[in-house]
Amino acid sequence: MNHLNIQVESQLATVTLNRPDVRNAFNQEVIAEITQAFVELGMHDDVRCIVLAANGPAFCAGADLNWMRSMADYTYAQNLEDAGRLATMLQAVYECPKPVIARIQGDVYAGGTGLVAACDMAVSVDTAGYCLSEVKLGLIPATISPYVIRAMGARAAHRYFLTAERFDAAEALRIGFVHEVVAAEALDAKVAELVKALVSAGPEAVKLCKKLVQDVAGQAITPELTQMTVQGIADVRVSAEGREGVQSFLQKRKPSWLA
């Protein structure tokens, strides 16, 4: 791939945005490559976890300026198609059956916040800045909004969508947009800690837990939702992985996926 570096080692895939000269901004090619990478890695049995990283001083600055210039002449139909590709990319990350950790080494702006929000976890350096800058350009963060609002909550989104204020990593942590904030020298160790926890768990259970959160979050506790959760645990208890996990615990041995 031209704009991504992909490495798979010891059950971990690392996808690295590699356009540091333009602050890892999106264009059509980048969006297509990210989509392809997450669809393909999601199907790899030897991959248990994905880390989304970036080279250079910024994690992702949103839309590439040249791409934005070309969009100025788009028809309505072309704009629909273009936004649809971005939505497909975000969905590929969000729905990837492998857990995804954002390793944030620098600033995150506009569409980049959507990419972070589509990940399951986010670890940020303490020097990173965040901004949903769309309204400054007379635009709205529409396509990324389902993911960003889930990540930071509606109350915080009201403020930062409307004001386009820049906020720091400490504020990103306070509003729940990222899970950990660390010094630059501790970034890799914290990411590795999360990776270790993920690859130590039952692979099918991790996959199902990711979907469980997506299915249950924000839902009313109805009889239908309750029945779905009852059926979910019953299905897992009789599965090969569920039986192996319980038996290994009772027998005080490692489960087969760690043996």
Side-chain angles (χ1 to χ4, degrees), residues 72-92:
D73 297 321
Y74 277 9
T75 64
Y76 181 73
Q78 287 174 315
N79 273 293
L80 283 176
E81 185 179 354
D82 186 74
R85 283 191 287 264
L86 178 61
T88 298
M89 180 198 76
L90 294 170
Q91 191 171 9

Side-chain angles (χ1 to χ4, degrees), residues 1 4 6 15 17 26-43 50 52 82-94 96 115:
M1 293 190 175
L4 301 179
I6 301 175
V15 178
L17 306 177
F26 297 141
N27 60 20
Q28 287 186 10
E29 291 77 18
V30 174
I31 288 170
E33 288 186 14
I34 293 173
T35 303
Q36 180 184 345
F38 277 87
V39 169
E40 291 181 356
L41 290 170
M43 296 186 290
I50 302 172
L52 179 61
D82 186 74
R85 283 191 287 264
L86 178 61
T88 298
M89 180 198 76
L90 294 170
Q91 191 171 9
V93 177
Y94 184 71
C96 179
L115 193 55

